[in-house]
Amino acid sequence: MSQLTIEDIARIAGVSRSTVSRVLNGQPNVRPSVRDRVQEVINSYGYAPQAAARQLVMRKTRLIGLILPDNAHHLFGNPIFAEIARGVSQVCAQRGYTPMLFIGRQDMNEATFFSLLRGRHFDGVILISSDRQDRSAAMLREAGMPYVRVGHDPEDDGDLQYVDVDNVAAARVAVEHLIALGHRRIAMLKGLAKDVCTHARLEGYRQALAAAGLPFDEALVGDGDWTPASGYAWTRRFLDLPEPPTALFSSNDMMVAGVVRAVQERGLTVPDDLAIVGFDDLLQTTMIFPELTTIRQPCVEMGTCAAELLLDQLEHNRRERVQIILPTALIIRQSCGYCRQAVQASASAPAVSGEEQRAG
Amino acid sequence: MSQLTIEDIARIAGVSRSTVSRVLNGQPNVRPSVRDRVQEVINSYGYAPQAAARQLVMRKTRLIGLILPDNAHHLFGNPIFAEIARGVSQVCAQRGYTPMLFIGRQDMNEATFFSLLRGRHFDGVILISSDRQDRSAAMLREAGMPYVRVGHDPEDDGDLQYVDVDNVAAARVAVEHLIALGHRRIAMLKGLAKDVCTHARLEGYRQALAAAGLPFDEALVGDGDWTPASGYAWTRRFLDLPEPPTALFSSNDMMVAGVVRAVQERGLTVPDDLAIVGFDDLLQTTMIFPELTTIRQPCVEMGTCAAELLLDQLEHNRRERVQIILPTALIIRQSCGYCRQAVQASASAPAVSGEEQRAG
DNA sequence: TTGTACGCGTTATCAG
DNA sequence: CTGATAACGCGTACAA
């Protein structure tokens, strides 16, 4: 039976609960011979303390919740979440915590979600979301749950600690690269409007155009939704324009898959007929369309940073404001056309944009 | 403070703990006026019972663990897991349970994982894995944790309850479709050898060839690993063969992305130079390569089935053997060439293969 | 209908 | 170094 309690183990080993507890938690002050005997019993019965009982007295679960934008397939659909989760997981394991991905929020009402938070299942939460409609940040605060956010909304200063990249600067670098290559009609594929980074990347696009004295043309901006399907649909529209773009900046790599399909379908080629820069640098995209020039996001590092911030917050009661902006990099491949000058240009305007800054 | 206990609420509302508890759990035998007053206090203070304390006495967490093959990015990489999770989530929410995706196992040693299981964090677990090297099924049993498996290994009869599709039959139908279209040199892309379904799908391929009197040619079988990259690499090798295949059956849809790229790179086209049938019917593939003929797996339904099985097991102590084999369907699009005859042929050999069977 | 008292399995405190 | 014993917060018979 798995109904064994610490009491049972104690009886079998011929000691008291206290001693078993000490062995369990690696405390000193146990005679080696006794420790060995107790450990022996523990192992042979496969005993492990019941989490709930321990949590009740410890007031800690050593569980970290991972919360993603409200929609599960969206979540899985984009591999960057997996990368971030990987970073979180590494740090958690290293420091003795267990990360749990919270799924099924879309099948649950707000009150239930809130109760779950208040139930103190988790010591802390890492919220991966740049969705400004997402109420989870506010609920986390209301529930008094320590959390660190990956991505954030500059207009909502409620997030005490967050990790993000400089989306404006990154997008600007991407578009500047295209401009440096001589492109003057550059299309832009946006992500979903609810995500803050969508607007930031658009802003970077605008800034790059403005700096080069190029006009901002509404007709060249497509309302994507992060999926290949939207990339496909918008590219067709762009190519149908009286004066079609010669280059395109996509707010993420996934949409590029659709872009490429639309281009090829017309008998056109990348980069000759349409130069492309993406965003994310997904491994998966690399496999489907290997020569994509793109902005690399340090996903794993965003995860490790967030986790370290959170665990420090929990263990040392750090409650200061901390904002970490991680650097991105322009990865130049062939989807913009090989061009030595361009590489040099982007070297003078450094390929790595953004800067890490820790505000105490 | 969120340190409020049921005792505090009781004091504030001017009643006893018991009454608050009754209100909390929706029990009868509480005077309506009292109930309202207590509920008011609960709401205004945002009180929620502490999970650990409740779990300790109830001996239930109402949490369901979701465990996937040991590797997290693998997991996110393939959207079928997300679909299955969606099904699980729906049923759990409906029946008052909360599903949690267990991540980070790859950063954790076996002993830690085992302790976690014995710690009774979850009332039950849904294991999504056709990996025969994966020891989690055995550990789940050893830990005495109720679980239902999605996918299984016929050589390991330890799984009491599982949900799966008939991979052999599904693959056979796929290859028969190609044969019916007149193809005689049909390549096959396998998945990873550690996954049981890889072998099952190969077996289906063999059966279809044998039934048609076609030879089995080792040179036409590629050792894929589920990723587009492997599809790309193997297709290049296939096309380099002295007598290249005219058709290809891929063990999953993701690899097809690489296959298509390799074909197009040679200036060839699908389906004229290479007819393709995939497996899974991913929404994502549909967007990248819309005309893929493929085998549809009922992913969401696999999730709902598994969850219902598990919750029944928990609530009604069902411990009988249950194996559910869900039907797959051949979805005919254009990657094999449009062919009325073929559609008819596949209609006589019904498009829906497999059958649901419940063994008590 | 409401309140009292006990137990759930563990850790922490304090004597021995 | 070891063993009693008191919490931890909640649910629930049982008593009022």
Side-chain angles (χ1 to χ4, degrees):
Chain A
M1 297 302 287
S2 60
Q3 303 290 20
L4 280 180
T5 75
I6 196 173
E7 186 76 49
D8 299 318
I9 300 297
R11 192 169 37 243
I12 296 168
V15 296
S16 71
R17 301 187 268 234
S18 314
T19 302
V20 178
S21 177
R22 279 188 274 263
V23 172
L24 240 25
N25 299 301
Q27 288 175 23
N29 298 343
V30 177
R31 201 190 329 154
S33 67
V34 174
R35 176 182 298 277
D36 291 347
R37 179 157 44 96
V38 172
Q39 190 62 59
E40 180 76 19
V41 175
I42 290 174
N43 292 340
S44 68
Y45 284 85
Y47 166 79
Q50 190 171 314
R54 164 176 270 174
Q55 288 164 18
L56 181 58
V57 53
M58 303 277 282
R59 302 157 152 282
K60 296 238 127 72
T61 65
R62 300 196 81 82
L63 253 37
I64 299 298
L66 220 71
I67 301 183
L68 293 91
D70 49 356
N71 159 332
H73 36 297
H74 196 170
L75 143 195
F76 283 84
N78 197 336
I80 66 167
F81 295 124
E83 293 298 300
I84 299 174
R86 205 147 61 102
V88 171
S89 167
Q90 282 169 13
V91 171
C92 282
Q94 202 175 327
R95 295 176 60 166
Y97 287 78
T98 305
M100 297 268 198
L101 179 56
F102 193 82
I103 59 178
R105 190 147 63 95
Q106 71 281 6
D107 296 314
M108 175 181 297
N109 61 44
E110 274 207 356
T112 311
F113 181 61
F114 186 73
S115 293
L116 219 63
L117 257 28
R118 294 291 292 224
R120 313 216 151 276
H121 275 107
F122 307 120
D123 288 352
V125 161
I126 290 176
L127 171 65
I128 306 180
S129 168
S130 63
D131 179 355
R132 60 169 37 140
Q133 288 173 354
D134 192 347
R135 295 227 322 112
S136 33
M139 295 189 71
L140 250 7
R141 289 193 289 269
E142 200 183 343
M145 174 70 64
Y147 77 96
V148 172
R149 184 165 185 171
V150 177
H152 86 294
D153 183 352
E155 288 176 29
D156 170 13
D157 61 347
D159 299 323
L160 200 68
Q161 304 192 347
Y162 65 80
V163 178
D164 205 350
V165 296
D166 187 339
N167 284 291
V168 177
R172 182 159 25 81
V173 168
V175 177
E176 279 168 353
H177 176 62
L178 290 169
I179 293 172
L181 288 167
H183 294 283
R184 298 188 59 77
R185 280 189 69 71
I186 302 171
M188 153 115 198
L189 261 175
K190 294 197 293 178
L192 284 172
K194 70 186 179 70
D195 290 308
V196 185
C197 57
T198 291
H199 304 281
R201 291 173 196 173
L202 178 65
E203 174 59 22
Y205 167 77
R206 295 184 104 115
Q207 288 184 7
L209 291 186
L214 294 174
F216 178 82
D217 183 351
E218 273 295 351
L220 291 179
V221 177
D223 250 324
D225 64 2
W226 304 123
T227 71
S230 68
Y232 175 73
W234 275 100
T235 304
R236 286 171 62 106
R237 292 173 66 164
F238 291 148
L239 296 178
D240 280 338
L241 252 29
E243 195 184 349
T246 62
L248 179 148
F249 168 52
S250 173
S251 289
N252 80 351
D253 283 356
M254 293 182 66
M255 291 191 286
V256 173
V259 173
V260 172
R261 183 158 80 84
V263 170
Q264 291 177 343
E265 217 174 64
R266 298 285 173 105
L268 305 175
T269 63
V270 176
D272 299 337
D273 299 296
L274 191 72
I276 303 177
V277 179
F279 205 110
D280 282 348
D281 196 35
L282 298 182
L283 187 60
Q284 286 80 355
T285 318
T286 306
M287 288 164 172
I288 297 175
F289 185 70
E291 53 278 315
L292 182 64
T293 291
T294 190
I295 297 288
R296 173 175 295 165
Q297 291 206 74
C299 293
V300 175
E301 197 183 351
M302 292 173 86
T304 56
C305 266
E308 264 159 11
L309 236 38
L310 180 64
L311 300 189
D312 285 349
Q313 190 182 139
L314 296 178
E315 291 173 357
H316 309 123
N317 255 29
R318 293 199 189 294
R319 296 216 133 260
E320 322 98 62
R321 278 188 101 71
V322 183
Q323 287 92 32
I324 297 187
I325 303 298
L326 259 22
T328 55
L330 174 66
I331 307 296
I332 298 179
R333 299 201 181 91
Q334 273 99 55
S335 65
C336 297
Y338 179 70
C339 175
R340 177 165 293 280
Q341 286 160 308
V343 175
Q344 287 171 345
S346 107
S348 67
V352 175
S353 74
E355 54 187 296
E356 182 166 347
Q357 56 186 51
R358 262 191 143 96
Chain B
M1 296 303 289
S2 61
Q3 303 290 18
L4 280 179
T5 74
I6 196 173
E7 183 78 48
D8 300 317
I9 299 297
R11 193 168 37 240
I12 295 167
V15 296
S16 73
R17 297 182 273 232
S18 317
T19 302
V20 179
S21 177
R22 281 188 274 262
V23 173
L24 240 25
N25 300 302
Q27 288 175 21
N29 298 344
V30 178
R31 202 190 327 155
S33 66
V34 174
R35 176 181 297 276
D36 290 348
R37 179 156 44 96
V38 172
Q39 190 63 57
E40 181 76 18
V41 175
I42 290 174
N43 293 340
S44 68
Y45 285 84
Y47 167 79
Q50 190 171 314
R54 162 177 270 172
Q55 287 166 19
L56 182 57
V57 54
M58 302 281 280
R59 299 157 156 280
K60 296 240 125 79
T61 65
R62 297 194 83 81
L63 253 37
I64 299 299
L66 221 71
I67 302 183
L68 292 91
D70 49 357
N71 159 334
H73 35 297
H74 196 169
L75 145 191
F76 283 83
N78 197 335
I80 67 168
F81 295 123
E83 294 298 299
I84 298 173
R86 206 148 60 101
V88 171
S89 167
Q90 283 168 12
V91 172
C92 283
Q94 202 175 325
R95 296 176 60 166
Y97 287 78
T98 304
M100 297 271 196
L101 179 55
F102 192 83
I103 59 178
R105 190 148 63 95
Q106 72 280 7
D107 297 314
M108 175 182 297
N109 61 44
E110 273 208 357
T112 311
F113 181 60
F114 185 74
S115 293
L116 221 62
L117 257 28
R118 295 290 293 223
R120 311 216 152 276
H121 274 105
F122 306 120
D123 288 352
V125 161
I126 290 177
L127 171 65
I128 306 180
S129 168
S130 63
D131 178 355
R132 61 167 38 136
Q133 289 173 355
D134 192 347
R135 295 226 322 112
S136 33
M139 294 187 73
L140 250 6
R141 289 193 289 269
E142 198 183 345
M145 174 68 65
Y147 75 96
V148 172
R149 184 165 183 169
V150 177
H152 85 294
D153 183 352
E155 290 178 29
D156 171 13
D157 61 347
D159 298 324
L160 200 67
Q161 304 191 347
Y162 64 79
V163 178
D164 206 350
V165 296
D166 187 340
N167 285 293
V168 176
R172 182 158 27 80
V173 168
V175 177
E176 279 168 355
H177 176 62
L178 290 168
I179 292 171
L181 287 167
H183 293 283
R184 298 188 61 79
R185 280 188 69 71
I186 301 171
M188 153 114 197
L189 260 175
K190 294 197 293 178
L192 284 172
K194 70 185 179 68
D195 290 307
V196 184
C197 58
T198 291
H199 304 282
R201 291 173 196 174
L202 178 66
E203 176 59 22
Y205 167 76
R206 297 184 102 117
Q207 288 184 6
L209 291 187
L214 294 174
F216 177 83
D217 183 352
E218 273 294 351
L220 291 180
V221 177
D223 251 323
D225 63 3
W226 304 122
T227 71
S230 68
Y232 175 74
W234 275 99
T235 303
R236 285 171 62 105
R237 292 172 66 164
F238 291 149
L239 296 178
D240 281 337
L241 252 29
E243 196 183 349
T246 62
L248 179 146
F249 167 53
S250 173
S251 290
N252 79 350
D253 282 357
M254 294 183 66
M255 292 191 287
V256 173
V259 173
V260 171
R261 182 157 80 84
V263 170
Q264 291 178 340
E265 216 173 65
R266 297 285 173 104
L268 304 175
T269 64
V270 176
D272 299 337
D273 300 295
L274 191 72
I276 304 177
V277 180
F279 204 109
D280 282 348
D281 196 36
L282 299 182
L283 187 61
Q284 286 80 354
T285 318
T286 306
M287 288 165 170
I288 297 174
F289 185 69
E291 53 278 317
L292 183 64
T293 291
T294 191
I295 298 287
R296 173 175 294 165
Q297 291 206 74
C299 293
V300 175
E301 198 183 349
M302 293 173 86
T304 56
C305 266
E308 264 158 12
L309 236 38
L310 180 64
L311 299 189
D312 285 348
Q313 189 181 140
L314 296 178
E315 292 173 356
H316 309 124
N317 257 28
R318 293 200 189 294
R319 296 217 136 259
E320 323 97 60
R321 277 189 101 70
V322 182
Q323 287 93 31
I324 297 186
I325 303 298
L326 258 23
T328 55
L330 174 65
I331 307 297
I332 299 179
R333 299 201 182 90
Q334 274 99 58
S335 65
C336 297
Y338 180 70
C339 177
R340 176 165 294 279
Q341 286 160 308
V343 175
Q344 287 171 345
S346 107
S348 68
V352 175
S353 73
E355 53 187 298
E356 181 166 349
Q357 55 188 53
R358 262 191 142 96

